[in-house]
């Protein structure tokens, strides 16, 4: 059994700031503009994190067949959808970000210089498994 990262209420308050600071540091190193949180994108990310748990599989389609683009439209996001990264893990948000940065397709979503906004959320199951979703938009 992997080491379980339990997200407490206190941790839950810190995670979004740690993630955003880390993403923006990585972007700054590539001369990409900083991202800021968007409430609609956060809502779409949370919906998808919970839905992946229900489906028990990490993939980009909702249990209703919805795509990432459709999900951001459903929450009223008026910007342009840029990309989505997802993970099913027991690791922290920063360990997950590191794993995303190690893969070209997810790294490209995070470092896309055209992106201006970010949505980020998670759902943690009783077992400790965490479903992370990061969405970028412009």
């Amino acid at each position: 059994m992997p080491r379980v990262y339990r997200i407490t209420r206190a941790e839950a308050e810190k995670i979004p700031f740690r993630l955003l600071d880390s993403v923006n540091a990585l972007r700054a190193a590539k001369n990409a503009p900083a991202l800021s949180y968007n409430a609609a994108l956060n809502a779409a990310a949370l919906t998808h994190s919970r839905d992946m748990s229900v489906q028990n599989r990490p993939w980009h389609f909702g249990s209703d067949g919805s795509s990432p683009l459709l999900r951001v439209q459903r929450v009223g996001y008026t910007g342009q959808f840029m990309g989505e990264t997802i993970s099913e893990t027991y690791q922290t948000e920063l360990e997950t970000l590191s794993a995303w940065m190690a893969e070209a397709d997810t790294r490209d979503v995070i470092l896309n210089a055209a992106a201006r906004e970010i949505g980020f959320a998670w759902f943690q199951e009783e077992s400790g498994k965490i479903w992370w979703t990061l969405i970028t938009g412009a």
Side-chain angles (χ1 to χ4, degrees):
M1 180 78 174
R3 175 184 58 86
V4 175
Y5 171 52
R6 289 276 175 206
I7 300 175
T8 63
R9 181 172 295 207
E11 274 303 293
E13 293 174 6
K14 297 173 188 170
I15 288 170
F17 299 103
R18 281 197 303 252
L19 186 279
L20 186 61
D21 287 348
S22 297
V23 164
N24 282 334
L26 292 164
R27 290 174 63 82
K30 296 292 184 184
N31 294 315
L35 300 179
S36 58
Y37 277 118
N38 175 282
L41 292 179
N42 286 339
L46 180 58
T47 298
H48 193 55
S49 291
R50 289 178 181 277
D51 191 51
M52 286 189 295
S53 172
V54 168
Q55 297 183 72
N56 195 36
R57 63 177 167 181
W59 76 322
H60 293 282
F61 293 94
S63 54
D64 62 357
S66 61
S67 67
L69 176 60
L70 181 57
R71 286 193 299 276
V72 301
Q73 290 171 340
R74 281 181 181 165
V75 295
Y77 184 65
T78 57
Q80 180 185 0
F81 168 77
M82 302 299 292
E84 177 181 80
T85 63
I86 57 174
S87 182
E88 166 198 19
T89 185
Y90 291 87
Q91 296 181 311
T92 70
E93 70 284 353
L94 297 183
E95 289 168 327
T96 301
L97 177 59
S98 178
W100 285 336
M101 291 301 292
E103 299 293 330
D105 58 340
T106 48
R107 181 175 56 245
D108 289 349
V109 169
I110 293 163
L111 298 180
N112 183 339
R116 295 292 182 271
E117 297 179 303
I118 187 174
F120 180 69
W122 65 90
F123 177 75
Q124 185 166 38
E125 297 179 355
E126 287 295 319
S127 68
K129 184 190 296 183
I130 308 168
W131 302 87
W132 302 102
T133 304
L134 181 152
I135 302 172
T136 57

